[in-house]
Amino acid sequence: DDEDSFYHGIYLHFTKVVPTKILKTGLIAKDSLDPEMDKSGTVKRGIVYPDKRVYLWKIEDISGNLERGDKDFDKRVIKAVKTLICDLCADSYGQYIYLVRLPSGLKTHYDNEYGTTCPARYVTQNIPPSYLKYIGTASRMREIIVAGNTRRLLQILNIEK
């Protein structure tokens, strides 16, 4: 990863867990066989992994390398979030979206099972609440995207162009 990149260390995470809990405990890494992952006791997903993980999507992986002053900055940010929510259906993992800012040096891994166009990443350790910001629900983000309200989206993502 390019540590000088505009989006270096900025990710999105989708979950069903309510903000009041996540903002107290942080994101807890779990393996796919953890009973909390599937309350029925069976693994219905096609992907099984033995190590504990927290899945993330890096904004830069979706939008490409952006720089301040880029003439297509607004369009590319909207397109990146639209791709994640509307096209990749990342909200199927949960309606609550968190902005995650990881420190330099924290290793992320690609998960090729999710494809190469917009690959998911994961970390194998817990993410403390201090690295997280709740940014809203997927349905609210979808409304902002459909309205083309780039200014509001940039505010939510805490990005200055």
Side-chain angles (χ1 to χ4, degrees), residues 5-6 8 26 29 34 40 42 49 53 61 71 75 79 86 88 90 92 107 110 121 125 141 144 151 158:
S5 165
F6 184 75
H8 183 70
D34 189 303
S40 72
T42 63
Y49 48 91
R53 300 177 179 187
D61 288 345
K71 69 176 184 140
K75 290 178 188 173
K79 183 180 181 202
C86 301
L88 295 176
S92 66
K107 185 171 176 74
Y110 281 104
R121 294 195 185 204
Q125 62 270 15
M141 293 297 270
I144 291 168
R151 191 172 135 249
N158 196 25

PDB file of all heavy atoms in Angstrom, residues 5-6 8 26 29 34 40 42 49 53 61 71 75 79 86 88 90 92 107 110 121 125 141 144 151 158:
ATOM      1  N   SER A   5      -0.712   7.812   0.032  1.00  0.00           N
ATOM      2  CA  SER A   5      -2.006   7.895  -0.623  1.00  0.00           C
ATOM      3  C   SER A   5      -2.986   8.714   0.208  1.00  0.00           C
ATOM      4  O   SER A   5      -2.958   8.711   1.444  1.00  0.00           O
ATOM      5  CB  SER A   5      -2.569   6.489  -0.822  1.00  0.00           C
ATOM      6  OG  SER A   5      -3.930   6.532  -1.137  1.00  0.00           O
ATOM      7  N   PHE A   6      -3.879   9.412  -0.478  1.00  0.00           N
ATOM      8  CA  PHE A   6      -4.896  10.249   0.165  1.00  0.00           C
ATOM      9  C   PHE A   6      -5.751   9.444   1.127  1.00  0.00           C
ATOM     10  O   PHE A   6      -6.105   9.918   2.199  1.00  0.00           O
ATOM     11  CB  PHE A   6      -5.767  10.870  -0.938  1.00  0.00           C
ATOM     12  CG  PHE A   6      -6.789  11.830  -0.423  1.00  0.00           C
ATOM     13  CD1 PHE A   6      -6.423  13.090  -0.012  1.00  0.00           C
ATOM     14  CD2 PHE A   6      -8.114  11.464  -0.335  1.00  0.00           C
ATOM     15  CE1 PHE A   6      -7.364  13.976   0.473  1.00  0.00           C
ATOM     16  CE2 PHE A   6      -9.066  12.346   0.147  1.00  0.00           C
ATOM     17  CZ  PHE A   6      -8.686  13.608   0.547  1.00  0.00           C
ATOM     18  N   HIS A   8      -4.924   6.474   2.551  1.00  0.00           N
ATOM     19  CA  HIS A   8      -4.173   5.436   3.239  1.00  0.00           C
ATOM     20  C   HIS A   8      -4.747   5.195   4.633  1.00  0.00           C
ATOM     21  O   HIS A   8      -4.948   6.113   5.418  1.00  0.00           O
ATOM     22  CB  HIS A   8      -2.704   5.790   3.349  1.00  0.00           C
ATOM     23  CG  HIS A   8      -1.917   4.703   3.990  1.00  0.00           C
ATOM     24  ND1 HIS A   8      -1.678   3.505   3.355  1.00  0.00           N
ATOM     25  CD2 HIS A   8      -1.377   4.581   5.209  1.00  0.00           C
ATOM     26  CE1 HIS A   8      -1.001   2.717   4.153  1.00  0.00           C
ATOM     27  NE2 HIS A   8      -0.810   3.346   5.294  1.00  0.00           N
ATOM     28  N   GLY A  26     -15.567  -2.080  20.181  1.00  0.00           N
ATOM     29  CA  GLY A  26     -14.763  -2.134  18.975  1.00  0.00           C
ATOM     30  C   GLY A  26     -15.213  -3.283  18.097  1.00  0.00           C
ATOM     31  O   GLY A  26     -16.270  -3.884  18.328  1.00  0.00           O
ATOM     32  N   ALA A  29     -12.560  -9.644  16.163  1.00  0.00           N
ATOM     33  CA  ALA A  29     -12.222 -10.633  15.136  1.00  0.00           C
ATOM     34  C   ALA A  29     -12.821 -11.984  15.516  1.00  0.00           C
ATOM     35  O   ALA A  29     -12.727 -12.409  16.667  1.00  0.00           O
ATOM     36  CB  ALA A  29     -10.706 -10.747  14.988  1.00  0.00           C
ATOM     37  N   ASP A  34     -17.389 -19.491  14.407  1.00  0.00           N
ATOM     38  CA  ASP A  34     -17.849 -18.931  15.679  1.00  0.00           C
ATOM     39  C   ASP A  34     -19.373 -18.969  15.718  1.00  0.00           C
ATOM     40  O   ASP A  34     -20.030 -18.557  14.766  1.00  0.00           O
ATOM     41  CB  ASP A  34     -17.354 -17.486  15.798  1.00  0.00           C
ATOM     42  CG  ASP A  34     -17.592 -16.897  17.172  1.00  0.00           C
ATOM     43  OD1 ASP A  34     -18.759 -16.878  17.607  1.00  0.00           O
ATOM     44  OD2 ASP A  34     -16.629 -16.452  17.795  1.00  0.00           O
ATOM     45  N   SER A  40     -27.765 -20.407  13.654  1.00  0.00           N
ATOM     46  CA  SER A  40     -28.413 -21.702  13.417  1.00  0.00           C
ATOM     47  C   SER A  40     -27.491 -22.880  13.726  1.00  0.00           C
ATOM     48  O   SER A  40     -27.927 -24.012  13.793  1.00  0.00           O
ATOM     49  CB  SER A  40     -28.896 -21.793  11.969  1.00  0.00           C
ATOM     50  OG  SER A  40     -27.790 -21.928  11.101  1.00  0.00           O
ATOM     51  N   THR A  42     -25.086 -23.878  11.755  1.00  0.00           N
ATOM     52  CA  THR A  42     -24.529 -24.415  10.518  1.00  0.00           C
ATOM     53  C   THR A  42     -23.874 -23.281   9.748  1.00  0.00           C
ATOM     54  O   THR A  42     -24.236 -22.124   9.898  1.00  0.00           O
ATOM     55  CB  THR A  42     -25.626 -25.028   9.622  1.00  0.00           C
ATOM     56  OG1 THR A  42     -26.538 -23.985   9.240  1.00  0.00           O
ATOM     57  CG2 THR A  42     -26.367 -26.126  10.336  1.00  0.00           C
ATOM     58  N   TYR A  49     -13.267 -19.901   6.958  1.00  0.00           N
ATOM     59  CA  TYR A  49     -11.885 -19.560   7.295  1.00  0.00           C
ATOM     60  C   TYR A  49     -11.650 -19.856   8.770  1.00  0.00           C
ATOM     61  O   TYR A  49     -12.488 -19.607   9.617  1.00  0.00           O
ATOM     62  CB  TYR A  49     -11.577 -18.102   6.961  1.00  0.00           C
ATOM     63  CG  TYR A  49     -12.606 -17.113   7.468  1.00  0.00           C
ATOM     64  CD1 TYR A  49     -12.463 -16.536   8.721  1.00  0.00           C
ATOM     65  CD2 TYR A  49     -13.707 -16.777   6.700  1.00  0.00           C
ATOM     66  CE1 TYR A  49     -13.406 -15.637   9.195  1.00  0.00           C
ATOM     67  CE2 TYR A  49     -14.653 -15.880   7.168  1.00  0.00           C
ATOM     68  CZ  TYR A  49     -14.491 -15.308   8.420  1.00  0.00           C
ATOM     69  OH  TYR A  49     -15.414 -14.426   8.885  1.00  0.00           O
ATOM     70  N   ARG A  53     -11.009 -12.940  12.031  1.00  0.00           N
ATOM     71  CA  ARG A  53     -10.883 -11.831  11.077  1.00  0.00           C
ATOM     72  C   ARG A  53     -11.919 -10.762  11.335  1.00  0.00           C
ATOM     73  O   ARG A  53     -13.003 -11.037  11.821  1.00  0.00           O
ATOM     74  CB  ARG A  53     -11.098 -12.332   9.643  1.00  0.00           C
ATOM     75  CG  ARG A  53     -10.127 -13.375   9.192  1.00  0.00           C
ATOM     76  CD  ARG A  53     -10.447 -13.863   7.805  1.00  0.00           C
ATOM     77  NE  ARG A  53      -9.477 -14.864   7.375  1.00  0.00           N
ATOM     78  CZ  ARG A  53      -9.430 -15.371   6.163  1.00  0.00           C
ATOM     79  NH1 ARG A  53     -10.301 -15.003   5.253  1.00  0.00           N
ATOM     80  NH2 ARG A  53      -8.520 -16.260   5.853  1.00  0.00           N
ATOM     81  N   ASP A  61      -9.068   1.131  -2.709  1.00  0.00           N
ATOM     82  CA  ASP A  61      -9.193  -0.018  -3.609  1.00  0.00           C
ATOM     83  C   ASP A  61     -10.379   0.158  -4.555  1.00  0.00           C
ATOM     84  O   ASP A  61     -10.381  -0.377  -5.658  1.00  0.00           O
ATOM     85  CB  ASP A  61      -9.388  -1.317  -2.818  1.00  0.00           C
ATOM     86  CG  ASP A  61      -8.124  -1.778  -2.102  1.00  0.00           C
ATOM     87  OD1 ASP A  61      -7.031  -1.274  -2.423  1.00  0.00           O
ATOM     88  OD2 ASP A  61      -8.240  -2.638  -1.211  1.00  0.00           O
ATOM     89  N   LYS A  71      -9.786  16.602 -10.745  1.00  0.00           N
ATOM     90  CA  LYS A  71     -11.020  17.156 -11.334  1.00  0.00           C
ATOM     91  C   LYS A  71     -12.215  16.216 -11.204  1.00  0.00           C
ATOM     92  O   LYS A  71     -13.346  16.663 -11.176  1.00  0.00           O
ATOM     93  CB  LYS A  71     -10.802  17.549 -12.792  1.00  0.00           C
ATOM     94  CG  LYS A  71     -10.603  16.391 -13.735  1.00  0.00           C
ATOM     95  CD  LYS A  71     -10.481  16.843 -15.168  1.00  0.00           C
ATOM     96  CE  LYS A  71     -10.387  15.610 -16.037  1.00  0.00           C
ATOM     97  NZ  LYS A  71     -11.101  15.696 -17.227  1.00  0.00           N
ATOM     98  N   LYS A  75     -16.935  12.803  -8.258  1.00  0.00           N
ATOM     99  CA  LYS A  75     -17.546  11.680  -8.968  1.00  0.00           C
ATOM    100  C   LYS A  75     -16.946  10.348  -8.527  1.00  0.00           C
ATOM    101  O   LYS A  75     -17.654   9.363  -8.361  1.00  0.00           O
ATOM    102  CB  LYS A  75     -17.357  11.839 -10.478  1.00  0.00           C
ATOM    103  CG  LYS A  75     -18.167  12.949 -11.091  1.00  0.00           C
ATOM    104  CD  LYS A  75     -17.871  13.050 -12.573  1.00  0.00           C
ATOM    105  CE  LYS A  75     -18.523  14.289 -13.161  1.00  0.00           C
ATOM    106  NZ  LYS A  75     -18.125  14.500 -14.545  1.00  0.00           N
ATOM    107  N   LYS A  79     -18.860   7.321  -6.752  1.00  0.00           N
ATOM    108  CA  LYS A  79     -18.837   6.040  -7.458  1.00  0.00           C
ATOM    109  C   LYS A  79     -18.278   4.931  -6.573  1.00  0.00           C
ATOM    110  O   LYS A  79     -18.771   3.806  -6.574  1.00  0.00           O
ATOM    111  CB  LYS A  79     -18.020   6.151  -8.741  1.00  0.00           C
ATOM    112  CG  LYS A  79     -18.031   4.886  -9.553  1.00  0.00           C
ATOM    113  CD  LYS A  79     -17.224   5.007 -10.828  1.00  0.00           C
ATOM    114  CE  LYS A  79     -17.312   3.697 -11.581  1.00  0.00           C
ATOM    115  NZ  LYS A  79     -16.240   3.493 -12.506  1.00  0.00           N
ATOM    116  N   CYS A  86     -24.223  -0.424  -3.527  1.00  0.00           N
ATOM    117  CA  CYS A  86     -25.240  -0.807  -4.510  1.00  0.00           C
ATOM    118  C   CYS A  86     -24.824  -1.981  -5.402  1.00  0.00           C
ATOM    119  O   CYS A  86     -25.637  -2.836  -5.709  1.00  0.00           O
ATOM    120  CB  CYS A  86     -25.604   0.394  -5.376  1.00  0.00           C
ATOM    121  SG  CYS A  86     -26.250   1.794  -4.427  1.00  0.00           S
ATOM    122  N   LEU A  88     -21.799  -4.125  -5.044  1.00  0.00           N
ATOM    123  CA  LEU A  88     -21.233  -5.278  -4.342  1.00  0.00           C
ATOM    124  C   LEU A  88     -22.107  -5.761  -3.192  1.00  0.00           C
ATOM    125  O   LEU A  88     -21.833  -6.790  -2.592  1.00  0.00           O
ATOM    126  CB  LEU A  88     -19.841  -4.941  -3.796  1.00  0.00           C
ATOM    127  CG  LEU A  88     -18.779  -4.659  -4.840  1.00  0.00           C
ATOM    128  CD1 LEU A  88     -17.482  -4.248  -4.171  1.00  0.00           C
ATOM    129  CD2 LEU A  88     -18.556  -5.872  -5.723  1.00  0.00           C
ATOM    130  N   ALA A  90     -22.390  -4.800  -0.167  1.00  0.00           N
ATOM    131  CA  ALA A  90     -21.677  -4.974   1.102  1.00  0.00           C
ATOM    132  C   ALA A  90     -22.619  -4.828   2.283  1.00  0.00           C
ATOM    133  O   ALA A  90     -22.356  -5.378   3.356  1.00  0.00           O
ATOM    134  CB  ALA A  90     -20.535  -3.964   1.208  1.00  0.00           C
ATOM    135  N   SER A  92     -25.178  -6.339   2.731  1.00  0.00           N
ATOM    136  CA  SER A  92     -25.743  -7.642   3.108  1.00  0.00           C
ATOM    137  C   SER A  92     -25.079  -8.167   4.389  1.00  0.00           C
ATOM    138  O   SER A  92     -25.606  -9.043   5.055  1.00  0.00           O
ATOM    139  CB  SER A  92     -25.589  -8.660   1.978  1.00  0.00           C
ATOM    140  OG  SER A  92     -24.227  -8.949   1.761  1.00  0.00           O
ATOM    141  N   LYS A 107      -1.056  -4.543   9.531  1.00  0.00           N
ATOM    142  CA  LYS A 107      -1.119  -5.347   8.308  1.00  0.00           C
ATOM    143  C   LYS A 107      -2.552  -5.751   7.971  1.00  0.00           C
ATOM    144  O   LYS A 107      -3.276  -6.265   8.814  1.00  0.00           O
ATOM    145  CB  LYS A 107      -0.260  -6.589   8.477  1.00  0.00           C
ATOM    146  CG  LYS A 107      -0.155  -7.429   7.225  1.00  0.00           C
ATOM    147  CD  LYS A 107       0.878  -8.509   7.417  1.00  0.00           C
ATOM    148  CE  LYS A 107       0.970  -9.428   6.247  1.00  0.00           C
ATOM    149  NZ  LYS A 107       1.610  -8.899   5.095  1.00  0.00           N
ATOM    150  N   TYR A 110      -5.526  -9.321   1.767  1.00  0.00           N
ATOM    151  CA  TYR A 110      -6.561  -9.414   0.729  1.00  0.00           C
ATOM    152  C   TYR A 110      -7.276 -10.752   0.849  1.00  0.00           C
ATOM    153  O   TYR A 110      -6.655 -11.761   1.154  1.00  0.00           O
ATOM    154  CB  TYR A 110      -5.935  -9.366  -0.676  1.00  0.00           C
ATOM    155  CG  TYR A 110      -5.570  -7.993  -1.136  1.00  0.00           C
ATOM    156  CD1 TYR A 110      -4.242  -7.585  -1.125  1.00  0.00           C
ATOM    157  CD2 TYR A 110      -6.532  -7.107  -1.585  1.00  0.00           C
ATOM    158  CE1 TYR A 110      -3.890  -6.317  -1.560  1.00  0.00           C
ATOM    159  CE2 TYR A 110      -6.188  -5.841  -2.014  1.00  0.00           C
ATOM    160  CZ  TYR A 110      -4.856  -5.456  -2.001  1.00  0.00           C
ATOM    161  OH  TYR A 110      -4.529  -4.214  -2.430  1.00  0.00           O
ATOM    162  N   ARG A 121     -10.679  -6.782   2.340  1.00  0.00           N
ATOM    163  CA  ARG A 121      -9.469  -6.982   3.121  1.00  0.00           C
ATOM    164  C   ARG A 121      -9.897  -7.427   4.509  1.00  0.00           C
ATOM    165  O   ARG A 121     -11.048  -7.290   4.879  1.00  0.00           O
ATOM    166  CB  ARG A 121      -8.676  -5.693   3.219  1.00  0.00           C
ATOM    167  CG  ARG A 121      -8.133  -5.230   1.882  1.00  0.00           C
ATOM    168  CD  ARG A 121      -7.100  -4.204   2.112  1.00  0.00           C
ATOM    169  NE  ARG A 121      -6.615  -3.624   0.886  1.00  0.00           N
ATOM    170  CZ  ARG A 121      -5.423  -3.059   0.789  1.00  0.00           C
ATOM    171  NH1 ARG A 121      -4.635  -3.002   1.835  1.00  0.00           N
ATOM    172  NH2 ARG A 121      -5.048  -2.539  -0.341  1.00  0.00           N
ATOM    173  N   GLN A 125      -6.779  -9.095  14.017  1.00  0.00           N
ATOM    174  CA  GLN A 125      -6.878  -8.685  15.409  1.00  0.00           C
ATOM    175  C   GLN A 125      -8.107  -7.802  15.598  1.00  0.00           C
ATOM    176  O   GLN A 125      -8.695  -7.339  14.631  1.00  0.00           O
ATOM    177  CB  GLN A 125      -5.609  -7.957  15.872  1.00  0.00           C
ATOM    178  CG  GLN A 125      -5.318  -6.678  15.131  1.00  0.00           C
ATOM    179  CD  GLN A 125      -4.459  -6.877  13.896  1.00  0.00           C
ATOM    180  OE1 GLN A 125      -4.277  -7.986  13.414  1.00  0.00           O
ATOM    181  NE2 GLN A 125      -3.946  -5.805  13.359  1.00  0.00           N
ATOM    182  N   MET A 141     -27.008   6.056   3.370  1.00  0.00           N
ATOM    183  CA  MET A 141     -25.922   6.281   2.400  1.00  0.00           C
ATOM    184  C   MET A 141     -26.445   6.126   0.980  1.00  0.00           C
ATOM    185  O   MET A 141     -26.072   6.879   0.089  1.00  0.00           O
ATOM    186  CB  MET A 141     -24.770   5.315   2.657  1.00  0.00           C
ATOM    187  CG  MET A 141     -24.051   5.574   3.962  1.00  0.00           C
ATOM    188  SD  MET A 141     -23.254   7.177   4.022  1.00  0.00           S
ATOM    189  CE  MET A 141     -21.676   6.741   3.388  1.00  0.00           C
ATOM    190  N   ILE A 144     -28.154   9.298  -0.075  1.00  0.00           N
ATOM    191  CA  ILE A 144     -27.163  10.338  -0.382  1.00  0.00           C
ATOM    192  C   ILE A 144     -26.558  10.105  -1.761  1.00  0.00           C
ATOM    193  O   ILE A 144     -26.378  11.033  -2.545  1.00  0.00           O
ATOM    194  CB  ILE A 144     -26.074  10.384   0.711  1.00  0.00           C
ATOM    195  CG1 ILE A 144     -26.687  10.918   2.007  1.00  0.00           C
ATOM    196  CG2 ILE A 144     -24.883  11.213   0.284  1.00  0.00           C
ATOM    197  CD1 ILE A 144     -25.820  10.744   3.225  1.00  0.00           C
ATOM    198  N   ARG A 151     -21.200  16.589  -1.431  1.00  0.00           N
ATOM    199  CA  ARG A 151     -20.775  17.403  -0.291  1.00  0.00           C
ATOM    200  C   ARG A 151     -21.091  16.703   1.034  1.00  0.00           C
ATOM    201  O   ARG A 151     -20.259  16.617   1.928  1.00  0.00           O
ATOM    202  CB  ARG A 151     -21.427  18.785  -0.346  1.00  0.00           C
ATOM    203  CG  ARG A 151     -20.815  19.748   0.640  1.00  0.00           C
ATOM    204  CD  ARG A 151     -21.352  21.177   0.417  1.00  0.00           C
ATOM    205  NE  ARG A 151     -21.676  21.686   1.730  1.00  0.00           N
ATOM    206  CZ  ARG A 151     -22.890  21.924   2.196  1.00  0.00           C
ATOM    207  NH1 ARG A 151     -23.934  21.746   1.432  1.00  0.00           N
ATOM    208  NH2 ARG A 151     -23.070  22.360   3.414  1.00  0.00           N
ATOM    209  N   ASN A 158     -15.585  12.448   6.375  1.00  0.00           N
ATOM    210  CA  ASN A 158     -14.599  13.355   6.955  1.00  0.00           C
ATOM    211  C   ASN A 158     -13.406  13.538   6.011  1.00  0.00           C
ATOM    212  O   ASN A 158     -12.250  13.409   6.404  1.00  0.00           O
ATOM    213  CB  ASN A 158     -14.136  12.840   8.314  1.00  0.00           C
ATOM    214  CG  ASN A 158     -13.425  13.910   9.115  1.00  0.00           C
ATOM    215  OD1 ASN A 158     -13.649  15.099   8.908  1.00  0.00           O
ATOM    216  ND2 ASN A 158     -12.575  13.502  10.025  1.00  0.00           N
TER     217      ASN A 158
END
